[in-house]
Amino acid sequence: MIARLLCWMIALTAASWAPGALAEDGYDLWLRYARTDEARSADLAAHATIIVAPGASPTLNVAIAELQRGLAGMTGVAPALSGTMRQGALWLATPASAPALPGETAGLGGEGYAIRSIEVDGKAVTLIAANSDLGLLHGACHWLRLAQSGASLDRLDIRSAPKIRLRLLNHWDNLNGTVERGYAGQSIWDWWRLPDWKAPRYTDYARANAAIGINGTVLNNVNAKADSLTAPYIAKAAALADLFRPYGIKVYLSVRWTAPMELDGLRTADPRDPAVAGWWRAKADEIYRAIPDFGGFLVKANSEGQPGPQDYKRTHADGANMLAAALKPHGGIVMWRAFVYAHDNPDDRAKQAYADFRPLDGQFADNVIVQVKNGAIDFQPREPFHPLFGAMPKTPLMMEFQITKEYLGQSTHLTYLGPLFKEALDSDTFAKGAGSTVAKVIDGSLDGHRLTGIAGVANIGADRDWSGSIFNQADWYAFGRLAWDTSLSAEAIAREWAAMTFSPDPKVVEPIVGMMMGSREAAVDYMTPLGLAHMMDTGHHYGPGPWVSDLARPEWNPVYYHRADADGIGFDRTDSGSGAIGQYAPAIATRLANPHTTPERHLLWFHHLPWDYRLASGETLWDGLVRRYDRGPAYVAGMQTLWASLKPHIDARRFAQTEAFLTIQHREALWWRDASIAYFQSLAHRPLPAGSPAPAHDLNWYKTQRFPYAPGHS
Amino acid sequence: MIARLLCWMIALTAASWAPGALAEDGYDLWLRYARTDEARSADLAAHATIIVAPGASPTLNVAIAELQRGLAGMTGVAPALSGTMRQGALWLATPASAPALPGETAGLGGEGYAIRSIEVDGKAVTLIAANSDLGLLHGACHWLRLAQSGASLDRLDIRSAPKIRLRLLNHWDNLNGTVERGYAGQSIWDWWRLPDWKAPRYTDYARANAAIGINGTVLNNVNAKADSLTAPYIAKAAALADLFRPYGIKVYLSVRWTAPMELDGLRTADPRDPAVAGWWRAKADEIYRAIPDFGGFLVKANSEGQPGPQDYKRTHADGANMLAAALKPHGGIVMWRAFVYAHDNPDDRAKQAYADFRPLDGQFADNVIVQVKNGAIDFQPREPFHPLFGAMPKTPLMMEFQITKEYLGQSTHLTYLGPLFKEALDSDTFAKGAGSTVAKVIDGSLDGHRLTGIAGVANIGADRDWSGSIFNQADWYAFGRLAWDTSLSAEAIAREWAAMTFSPDPKVVEPIVGMMMGSREAAVDYMTPLGLAHMMDTGHHYGPGPWVSDLARPEWNPVYYHRADADGIGFDRTDSGSGAIGQYAPAIATRLANPHTTPERHLLWFHHLPWDYRLASGETLWDGLVRRYDRGPAYVAGMQTLWASLKPHIDARRFAQTEAFLTIQHREALWWRDASIAYFQSLAHRPLPAGSPAPAHDLNWYKTQRFPYAPGHS
């Protein structure tokens, strides 16, 4: 005991003066494994006296190593690996390693697991059972999550298996080290020094992703360079694939449609041209020789200037199927993005993806999945669900979320995206009657698809804390957890994350969860309330630019979306307008036809309404709009107060970072509010409601702000 | 004892499983303060039982904190601060805090220090004495260096003061986060989130620089944007200045000549225009309101497309003096770069800076210093010293070294620059007879200047290890140490660095110093032997491109520099050629006029010689050239062998990084050798000497390699 005490004292002395590396800098994500108090430490040790894990594989090894690392961190001692069962053992078993396993693993598939408190020969042990070592890894991570969150480790009876097969990160990372819409430093892929130099960070990336069930990663930007398909870059991707393989994470690549022309001088990229198809077959063969379990291709074609099959008067299906044929012999898939709109198409941008893709339903090969953004425009603070969900029953549709916050405050704003993801997944398409949620579309259960997927555009960069801020890590975490299980609540996920990231102490967890849960709505309030969208300034999408009207394409201008004038505001998507509501199921379209039955959160998305339109509250549209703009910064001020109260409980470094970022967020929330009100007031010519302060500057001031070095716009 | 042992065991268990943050990732630089063995630990503790440091200032506080941190790291216990002298005390004293100090600090100036083992009232103590708290900080860092290097701490009698007043880093960092010629990730300056977010890394940057005596930093690229002079960016620079101030580090800015036109619409940037001068005066006043101790401006004008006073038919002196007048009331200085050459000037590029600047000698204001690169071209692996050194006795000249390895292997090659820096500093200009070294020019002793300076283009980026590799840190370290004391040897510096970076164990230090000391010569051998220069490929300067001849300016082409043909190779700079040798003092020029009295290391820099010219060794120029190309990769192979032998003594992570980088270096050294030989052989039509293998590919293969994503070329 004295030894123990002495040890603590020495450890504490050293820690207080130790170099920066020991500080809480966010690097460890949800794998912090912070030392627990003595009681909890004893409890943890008693539930993990030894690890029994028959068998041997790289995946089993990393599962064992993660348990040992976690327990060493939390208790100071890593449990030994043993062949002999003992009271308090952690037993990792598959049907292969433990043939007597009594049906534990039925229905768990290749990635799921069961965790059960059982007795073996009179000894209380914790069984982690799965059909594969990868399932054991996921189970081990679940157990570590319980251990880190302060949960009870007794009487466990957990079964968990993912419903969605492909749970992927999309990295919009360029080969030159920049990241499009990245706000966390350079790309984590050190392409230049790969494959020779395999940064230790890659392994930690795999650990963090495996811990939340991510099982694939698209390494390069959808605005792809052909070079990523050259031999040197395939070797670099293969080096990453080798590192990720034990963690059950497959590597995918974004491909440039014209790669055969750019790399090998083909005259065309027409998907019906045999030489083109042959080129892709040979390329696929080359990739699979280097990466036998290569996942497949992600394609952005005929969108925002990218080339594609339509350049040859072929359809998206023609293009996707040609690539799919090249990958098919190897078991690879094509993820074909539905994010398309064309500058020469005068129709409502929100309608174009549906118009392009719905007619193709049933025409895609069986190893093609169409990747659809959650909304029909582009990752706005709030959008109604994309009308393609539910509208292509014969085609597997994959969800594309944006974890990086291009439109939600970028690196500094605390805007937890769990509620945004959840809102999209829970949306009811009514495709097969009530309950036909988007989640059921993408998990394949609504239409009986086996190829299912969900992707998140990563917010990961080379910054020490991976995501540009501690709180942005929660969005990566939430994406992974929801990809594994869409039925989780955003709040439960926030609670898990806060406990592991800061402390399981409810005095810490509850205020943080409180801050997080309202934060996205606050961003909607100060940026794009009542169904407004795309009010961001040009190019960098940083800050307000509702007045912008001079960009080359009409649909790049905020004025395209709000259509405000002296009489009113909003985009009429009813039959008297663009008719976009007709892309939804009749049960929805009928409600959306009438502003009074349209959810107020989407009001101006679907309707152009007079400024004195009466909201449900009885106030005018103008007053209600201003009230929301007022409410956003006020929420941020509340977060500042709450965070300040947490100072005694948070380490100095992470406290200071969040404090500074909330200061930025509050200033920018006010800026959004002021600029938006100044602009809309210049059109509406209405007084501000009582108690609502005038903007700090005149409209011209807001219009003339310039940000040439805003990050992320590569 | 058992307690201690137990403690170690627990500590070791934890460490072996601890998260990545505890790994040796290079973040701590020369401030690692690694735990020492028990004997050394006791020795250290006995020499620092307490810290006695009367007084109070931010600088004294950081000196005390650094000592406590260092000792806590090395011994496990931080000494307390005490007011009562005790046996084994570390006593930090200035004449102000210890009036009885017996003349210890005479001649130490404002930054120097003495460290002496003395007795006070019968107690053996270590006195660190200085005229200022900043001197105490430097003394404390010196003592910590001794402590980390395994040196004896008894009978110390050290006096040290810098001879060069301005010891600066130049960051070629852009406001968008990229770094020109940076190979260590993004800029460490998070301009976007400054001034609100002050990353902890900034403080560690200041600590590392203060520890080697750097006292200033130019924050932005010499290819400057006017925006860095706007109010928001001045506030950002001020936030950094506030953080650096306790460490004695001043902030400087690079300025764009046309800023008055770009920012405020002035019609001209003519330095004789009163409105222009007024604009700069007002701008200087504005900066000094935010940064009272702002250092001054660095200017790249009329060079490589940058605007400057010559655009208005004014001289560099006119321009520099106008800026100097604006800074003068505040005590600021102008550093005016002599790196100029013009596309419309047909004269030898090596002559142009001298031709432009020498006539201006005596015309510069007294707060202007002219910053001259070590050689007349551009940071080549080897160049003769710049002929301006010694040629402008009435003008203070400041040395500009490049720490970042634009031309010496970029991020991965192990090419220790200490010998390069030292070679330049020790070069004898003969300006006032033998012994008129470049070091004496820049420390002001040769011509009696008080304004003196040395700058290094930083190799620092956001990479965890700061410099892109562990060994690149040695170049930053060596620059700082030589800036403080040009008389140090490159080898002594390497020894200090290796001891602090890896281990003071001679089994570790000696092989590492051995590797380092020959490494720059090896790079010269495989890149540009015998006085060749600028053989690098276009734009990115990565890899060989001796055949390149199609660039817009003649002096951007490697063929401009080597002038090889069927008959011979080399740039004739004698009187029969460009006459550049006439820019050196007669004692030198006479020797350089004759190839046989020209140092072979500079042979082809000064002479065009036939392929069968006989070297001192008796071999032909062709054979000697090839032999050097062979020798370079062989040296790298030797480093690989030595490094492999160190595996038992180096932590796994840093071992693996260096091992991987040496693999890259060896491959690239062979590539350099093969490509250069293939090319020159195509002209010389001579067989390779016996034993020298043919290049791996034909010349066309080397010519067609493309590297569109090579880093650092922003």
Side-chain angles (χ1 to χ4, degrees), chain A residues 2-4 6-8 10-11 13-14 17-23 25 27-28 31-33 35 64-66 68-70 72-73 76-78 175-176 178 183-186 190 192-193 196-198 200-201 204 207 225-227 233 410-412 462-465 468-469 542 653 656-658 660-661 663-664 667-668 707-711, chain B residues 2-4 6-8 10-11 13-14 17-23 25 27-28 31-33 35 64-66 68-70 72-73 76-78 175-176 178 183-186 190 192-193 196-198 200-201 204 207 225-227 233 410-412 462-465 468-469 542 653 656-658 660-661 663-664 667-668 707-711:
Chain A
I2 287 173
R4 191 66 175 259
L6 247 171
C7 189
W8 266 108
I10 294 175
T13 309
W17 291 106
L22 289 173
D25 58 16
Y27 184 80
D28 294 325
L31 310 173
R32 271 173 74 237
Y33 307 131
R35 189 64 62 100
I64 295 163
E66 197 66 32
Q68 290 182 315
R69 179 200 288 253
V77 180
L175 302 184
N176 67 0
T178 59
Y183 311 99
Q186 273 194 316
D190 185 352
W192 188 247
R193 301 192 286 193
D196 298 281
W197 172 232
K198 297 167 188 74
R201 192 170 187 128
D204 291 326
R207 291 174 51 231
K225 299 285 189 187
D227 308 70
Y233 281 87
Q410 305 192 349
S411 71
T412 46
D463 274 3
R464 183 67 182 164
D465 65 13
S469 84
Y542 167 72
R653 182 166 174 160
Q657 192 205 51
T658 299
F661 288 2
T663 301
I664 294 172
R667 187 174 62 232
E668 295 184 350
F707 305 94
Y709 308 108
Chain B
I2 288 171
R4 191 66 175 257
L6 248 170
C7 188
W8 266 109
I10 293 175
T13 310
W17 292 107
L22 289 174
D25 57 17
Y27 183 81
D28 294 326
L31 310 174
R32 271 173 74 239
Y33 306 131
R35 188 64 63 99
I64 295 164
E66 198 67 30
Q68 291 182 314
R69 181 200 288 252
V77 180
L175 302 184
N176 68 359
T178 59
Y183 311 98
Q186 273 195 316
D190 185 351
W192 189 247
R193 299 191 289 193
D196 298 281
W197 172 231
K198 298 166 188 76
R201 191 170 188 129
D204 291 327
R207 290 175 51 231
K225 298 286 189 186
D227 308 70
Y233 280 87
Q410 304 193 347
S411 72
T412 46
D463 274 3
R464 182 68 182 164
D465 64 14
S469 83
Y542 167 72
R653 181 166 173 159
Q657 193 205 50
T658 299
F661 288 1
T663 302
I664 294 171
R667 186 174 64 232
E668 295 184 350
F707 304 94
Y709 308 108

Side-chain angles (χ1 to χ4, degrees), chain A residues 119-313:
Chain A
E119 283 211 357
V120 177
D121 300 336
K123 302 175 182 82
V125 309
T126 303
L127 170 68
I128 300 178
N131 288 314
S132 70
D133 289 346
L134 182 56
L136 294 181
L137 174 60
H138 290 147
C141 291
H142 190 130
W143 189 88
L144 285 166
R145 188 159 63 231
L146 298 175
Q148 287 199 87
S149 320
S152 167
L153 301 170
D154 292 315
R155 286 181 292 279
L156 296 179
D157 188 5
I158 294 164
R159 295 177 64 80
S160 185
K163 285 192 194 158
I164 299 175
R165 199 175 119 197
L166 308 175
R167 303 177 303 279
L168 269 53
L169 291 179
N170 289 2
H171 288 269
W172 288 359
D173 291 22
N174 299 312
L175 302 184
N176 67 0
T178 59
V179 181
E180 183 168 334
R181 310 305 178 186
Y183 311 99
Q186 273 194 316
S187 171
I188 49 164
W189 314 129
D190 185 352
W191 288 116
W192 188 247
R193 301 192 286 193
L194 278 168
D196 298 281
W197 172 232
K198 297 167 188 74
R201 192 170 187 128
Y202 303 148
T203 301
D204 291 326
Y205 169 90
R207 291 174 51 231
N209 279 314
I212 53 177
I214 301 284
N215 66 1
T217 178
V218 185
L219 298 173
N220 60 322
N221 193 350
V222 289
N223 293 318
K225 299 285 189 187
D227 308 70
S228 62
L229 294 176
T230 59
Y233 281 87
I234 291 171
K236 293 166 193 282
L240 292 173
D242 290 344
L243 290 168
F244 299 162
R245 191 167 292 113
Y247 297 89
I249 296 169
K250 284 189 183 179
V251 154
Y252 299 74
L253 291 173
S254 295
V255 298
R256 182 162 167 87
W257 184 256
T258 45
M261 302 168 70
E262 296 177 38
L263 297 182
D264 287 303
L266 270 65
R267 295 276 190 87
T268 176
D270 182 343
R272 296 269 175 91
D273 186 295
V276 172
W279 188 93
W280 284 104
R281 273 198 308 277
K283 186 54 70 178
D285 295 347
E286 180 188 356
I287 293 171
Y288 278 92
R289 278 194 297 276
I291 313 173
D293 56 354
F294 178 69
F297 295 147
L298 173 62
V299 192
K300 174 177 181 175
N302 293 121
S303 172
E304 299 186 318
Q306 292 294 319
Q310 291 181 336
D311 302 342
Y312 307 92
K313 304 201 188 313

